[in-house]
Amino acid sequence: MLYAVKILVVEDDSRLAAVLRRGLAESGHLVDVEQDGLRAQSVAIGGAYDAIVLDIMLPGRDGLSVVREMRRREVGTPVLLLSSRDTVDDTIAGLDAGADDYLRKPFVFRELDARLRSITRRSDAPPQKELRRGDLRLDQATRRVFRGDVPLQLTARETAFVEYFMLNAGLLLTRPMIEDALWEPGRDTESNIIEVYVRRLRSKLSPNGEPNLIHTIRGAGYRFGDVMRHP
């Protein structure tokens, strides 16, 4: 990363926690470590961190429950889940709980560092005050999204998806285009990861049954907008 961030590492394996603390500190970041899920939840809800590296299997309270409680309380801190569980269903469960990314153990530290760069990426360009597409609004300073007057509870990655779709409203967006825009170069994504995010966003962007905004163009990609148009 080109800037120092404050990171909370939640890992009950003392050896791995020490490795993560040392590696992240050597990258120039401020690092705190917790080993209990309940304690980590209390600290995370305070919102004092730029990112959280969170193991799923923890004493006190599991990582998925911690993420769900954070999102319920509208804490939008980016979360990278760690787990030895390695099925696609496990990855989907983590993302559906509100995490921004999911990394399987064992992993190479450079990959973890790259994923943290991705979920905490900051733009060098000064953000516009607000994006509007119909009744959908995104405040680019606070990263809050509204449908009409209703605030939507989105993760950092989900907000990045919405921003990308809004900036390219009406255009055909292919899977490679979305991957290039929202993930680190060279990152191998899960085969259906974009579909998972689109499914979640369709539900979250229409909290009261509003018209769908993300349309699938069969065999091609997606188009964002109020009215479905053929390519």
Side-chain angles (χ1 to χ4, degrees):
M1 297 179 187
L2 299 178
Y3 51 88
V5 297
K6 189 173 183 181
I7 298 172
L8 174 64
V9 173
V10 188
E11 172 59 65
D12 64 330
D13 182 324
S14 298
R15 181 177 298 180
L16 178 55
V19 169
L20 291 174
R21 182 200 288 272
R22 183 173 62 252
L24 292 169
E26 288 176 352
S27 296
H29 306 306
L30 303 174
V31 185
D32 290 336
V33 174
E34 295 288 347
Q35 295 183 301
D36 177 84
L38 279 174
R39 170 62 183 166
Q41 176 178 293
S42 176
V43 172
I45 287 174
Y49 295 93
D50 297 299
I52 299 174
V53 178
L54 178 65
D55 190 24
I56 290 182
M57 301 299 293
L58 293 167
R61 192 166 198 187
D62 67 273
L64 295 183
S65 297
V66 172
V67 177
R68 291 191 189 100
E69 183 64 14
M70 287 174 59
R71 302 316 185 209
R72 187 183 74 81
R73 297 191 182 215
E74 300 186 13
V75 177
T77 307
V79 174
L80 170 61
L81 284 177
L82 301 179
S83 179
S84 56
R85 299 173 179 175
D86 60 359
T87 70
V88 172
D89 286 343
D90 291 323
T91 303
I92 292 172
L95 296 175
D96 281 345
D100 297 275
D101 206 350
Y102 187 106
L103 181 60
R104 298 185 182 117
K105 300 177 180 178
F107 54 85
V108 177
F109 178 79
R110 288 189 299 110
E111 181 178 6
L112 178 139
D113 201 27
R115 294 195 183 203
L116 283 174
R117 282 199 302 274
S118 179
I119 65 175
T120 60
R121 182 182 295 126
R122 300 174 182 177
S123 173
D124 293 330
Q128 300 177 37
K129 183 176 180 180
E130 185 175 76
L131 285 177
R132 284 179 176 266
R133 297 293 183 270
D135 62 349
L136 186 71
R137 297 183 290 120
L138 189 158
D139 186 320
Q140 291 184 294
T142 65
R143 309 301 291 168
R144 298 192 69 190
V145 180
F146 300 82
R147 187 76 189 260
D149 294 325
V150 179
L152 308 181
Q153 295 186 28
L154 305 182
T155 67
R157 179 85 72 180
E158 289 169 345
T159 301
F161 261 81
V162 172
E163 183 175 45
Y164 180 68
F165 281 137
M166 292 179 77
L167 288 170
N168 294 280
L171 302 178
L172 173 63
L173 301 175
T174 66
R175 180 190 173 93
M177 290 169 64
I178 297 171
E179 288 180 346
D180 288 346
L182 300 176
W183 273 272
E184 288 290 306
R187 156 83 184 276
D188 290 329
T189 59
E190 297 289 345
S191 60
N192 65 340
I193 193 71
I194 291 176
E195 289 78 6
V196 170
Y197 274 106
V198 167
R199 173 171 59 83
R200 290 165 56 188
L201 283 172
R202 280 178 172 150
S203 174
K204 289 188 174 185
L205 293 180
S206 302
N208 296 311
E210 295 90 344
N212 174 44
L213 293 172
I214 305 174
H215 307 286
T216 299
I217 309 300
R218 189 175 299 276
Y222 301 96
R223 181 174 283 129
F224 181 89
D226 292 317
V227 180
M228 176 66 175
R229 295 180 296 175
H230 294 289

